[in-house]
Amino acid sequence: MDRAQLLDSPTAPILWVIVHEAALRVLVGGAAVMAEQLTHLAEQTRSRTRLIAQVFPFSAGAPLFLDTSVTLMRFTDAPPAVYTEGAYGGQLIEETSVVDQFGSAYDLARAAALSPEASLALIESAAKDYATDDHRS
């Protein structure tokens, strides 16, 4: 919660996330948990101007970052870096050519993802579907 408040500062970094549609559709923890998590994501996306969320839809095919989490970091006082994390570990990458490759791949993923507005609508729709499913159980 304390870290989330950092996004409220006018000097805070922009947090731009791309979430694969599978993260919305694969049931983890039950319908109530999914509804709560997706509702929270939608609320945070709506209320925080420095948070941008996009959904990478199934229809866009396999994303370049299918099996890893990627964090691109740009600094005002240091060279950019990338942190990748998979199921069993993570790695900080500072080599400029590799950081540039990740940046290009991320740009392609953003272009193939739904717009922020369409993404928010899909997240809210999935949350509503799970809330409805939970009431039927």
Side-chain angles (χ1 to χ4, degrees):
M1 300 269 286
D2 290 338
R3 283 183 283 157
Q5 290 178 349
L6 293 173
L7 294 174
D8 294 331
S9 167
T11 60
I14 293 174
L15 177 59
W16 194 316
V17 298
I18 302 172
V19 178
H20 195 282
E21 186 175 355
L24 310 181
R25 304 291 185 198
V26 175
L27 184 66
V28 177
V33 170
M34 291 296 291
E36 182 180 343
Q37 291 293 313
L38 294 176
T39 298
H40 180 73
L41 176 58
E43 289 170 353
Q44 294 301 304
T45 301
R46 271 198 192 287
S47 67
R48 297 184 188 277
T49 59
R50 302 191 73 75
L51 171 59
I52 301 166
Q54 286 184 272
V55 174
F56 193 93
F58 289 126
S59 62
L64 298 170
F65 305 122
L66 184 62
D67 62 346
T68 188
S69 170
V70 175
T71 303
L72 294 163
M73 299 172 284
R74 294 190 178 105
F75 309 98
T76 56
D77 58 350
V82 172
Y83 180 74
T84 64
E85 189 170 22
Y88 302 106
Q91 175 183 6
L92 180 65
I93 301 168
E94 295 175 311
E95 185 180 329
T96 303
S97 64
V98 178
V99 171
D100 290 346
Q101 286 179 317
F102 274 97
S104 294
Y106 190 77
D107 288 344
L108 291 171
R110 285 191 321 188
L114 300 176
S115 71
E117 297 80 15
S119 295
L120 182 57
L122 182 59
I123 293 165
E124 290 174 330
S125 174
K128 183 178 177 182
D129 290 347
Y130 283 117
T132 303
D133 286 349
D134 190 48
H135 289 8
R136 282 189 240 153
S137 302

